[in-house]
Amino acid sequence: HARQGQLWIAARKGQAPEIEILSVDDGPGIRDLSQAMRDGFSTAGSPGTGLGAVQRLATDFDVHSEVGKGTVILARLRTAAARTGAFKWGVVALPAPGETVCGDSWGVAFDGHRAAMLVADGLGHGEHAAEASMAAVDLFAKQPFAGLKEALEEAHIILRMSRGAAVTRAQLDAETNSLLAAGAGNVAMRIVSGVFNRSVLAQNGTVGVQMRRVEETRMDWPAHALVVCHSDGLQSRWPPQAITALIGRDPTLAAAVLVRDYGRGRDDVTVLVMRRDD
């Protein structure tokens, strides 16, 4: 059914372990998704139980298909729901071609109506890049809601023993409808709602190598908007229309569509997407 099809599989440990599987393709798309989900329907002479069986077996299931553009299918198996407060989130992180370790790292944390997120892009590729980006994540995990300016300045000191990383951190508040962000380097952040599309400007520099005085940016966060944070493995000029149809869906679908359609294909790529939980 697909062209250029791939399976992206992630296993996550912790208090709520899970396995997440994404099927991503550039195929013809599915013209009638509701019909395709019914057992017994097939366009290839098969029993026609594939999608329905996956949906029944999965804890979480979602699918997005565009005729002429392709299909993304998400299936997640988990033992218990993770505590995410007022938020839903999803991420796709893939290593550069030929690498077995992704040089990007990411983190999320939740506290009631507040959420914190980070994406770090270690310079270069491979294990040394991953060591630099994970050092930023380890610091984030200790104090995810620390002051952004102080947190980045501390990361700048800690990452001096590494090759350095581009880092963006943000804190989201679902009650005040606001976002506070700060970073150094080419990790981009954008708020997308279809009518409100705004980029958070990143400062030049590399955490652990050379960094200017940290400046925080506060922005409005409309009720239905997605917050997208990504490394430079994704093209910076992707159109917001690419994911506006996915607002309100599992955020992992939006991350996967962006990587499929706008990934550079020669670098590590990480796309982290967050929204309010309806």
Side-chain angles (χ1 to χ4, degrees):
H1 301 284
R3 293 190 298 271
Q4 302 297 318
Q6 299 182 48
L7 285 177
W8 300 340
I9 304 173
R12 298 185 184 127
K13 301 178 182 179
Q15 295 181 343
E18 65 182 37
I19 296 174
E20 183 178 271
I21 303 172
L22 280 163
S23 170
V24 182
D25 71 58
D26 295 320
I30 302 173
R31 292 188 178 276
D32 188 334
L33 194 54
S34 61
Q35 186 180 41
M37 293 299 302
R38 291 201 298 266
D39 288 349
F41 175 80
S42 174
T43 59
S46 66
T49 57
L51 283 178
V54 173
Q55 184 179 37
R56 288 189 291 272
L57 290 168
T59 309
D60 301 318
F61 179 89
D62 208 343
V63 55
H64 174 68
S65 189
E66 295 181 72
V67 174
K69 200 160 188 178
T71 301
V72 176
I73 303 170
L74 165 68
R76 191 179 293 121
L77 297 170
R78 51 183 169 79
T79 57
R83 296 179 180 178
T84 60
F87 306 91
K88 283 187 176 294
W89 63 279
V91 63
V92 170
L94 301 175
E99 298 286 354
T100 58
V101 176
C102 183
D104 299 343
S105 299
W106 56 273
V108 295
F110 304 95
D111 179 20
H113 62 88
R114 298 190 302 159
M117 58 195 297
L118 169 147
V119 171
D121 180 355
L123 292 187
H125 311 299
E127 293 184 4
H128 294 300
E131 289 172 1
S133 63
M134 276 304 302
V137 172
D138 290 342
L139 179 61
F140 169 85
K142 293 176 182 177
Q143 291 185 305
F145 294 97
L148 298 183
K149 181 178 182 296
E150 294 77 12
L152 283 170
E153 289 173 346
E154 185 177 358
H156 186 51
I157 295 172
I158 292 173
L159 267 65
R160 283 176 180 169
M161 300 301 293
S162 73
R163 61 172 56 178
V167 180
T168 290
R169 291 181 62 149
Q171 296 174 6
L172 292 67
D173 193 313
E175 287 190 349
T176 62
N177 300 320
S178 64
L179 176 148
L180 184 67
N186 51 5
V187 172
M189 179 169 285
R190 194 185 298 188
I191 302 175
V192 176
S193 74
V195 295
F196 184 98
N197 304 300
R198 191 76 57 83
S199 294
V200 179
L201 296 179
Q203 297 175 218
N204 293 328
T206 302
V207 179
V209 180
Q210 185 176 14
M211 187 176 72
R212 296 179 179 179
R213 179 183 176 185
V214 177
E215 296 182 1
E216 298 179 349
T217 300
R218 186 176 296 275
M219 301 179 65
D220 292 336
W221 179 32
H224 301 293
L226 300 175
V227 178
V228 182
C229 189
H230 63 83
S231 66
D232 67 345
L234 193 75
Q235 299 173 31
S236 60
R237 296 185 178 276
W238 53 271
Q241 295 82 2
I243 58 172
T244 51
L246 295 171
I247 293 173
R249 305 284 295 281
D250 192 301
T252 308
L253 290 182
V257 166
L258 287 174
V259 171
R260 180 194 66 183
D261 296 343
Y262 300 98
R264 297 186 189 278
R266 59 180 184 274
D267 196 1
D268 303 310
V269 58
T270 295
V271 180
L272 174 60
V273 182
M274 192 173 294
R275 68 169 176 86
R276 292 173 180 79
D277 189 359
D278 297 334

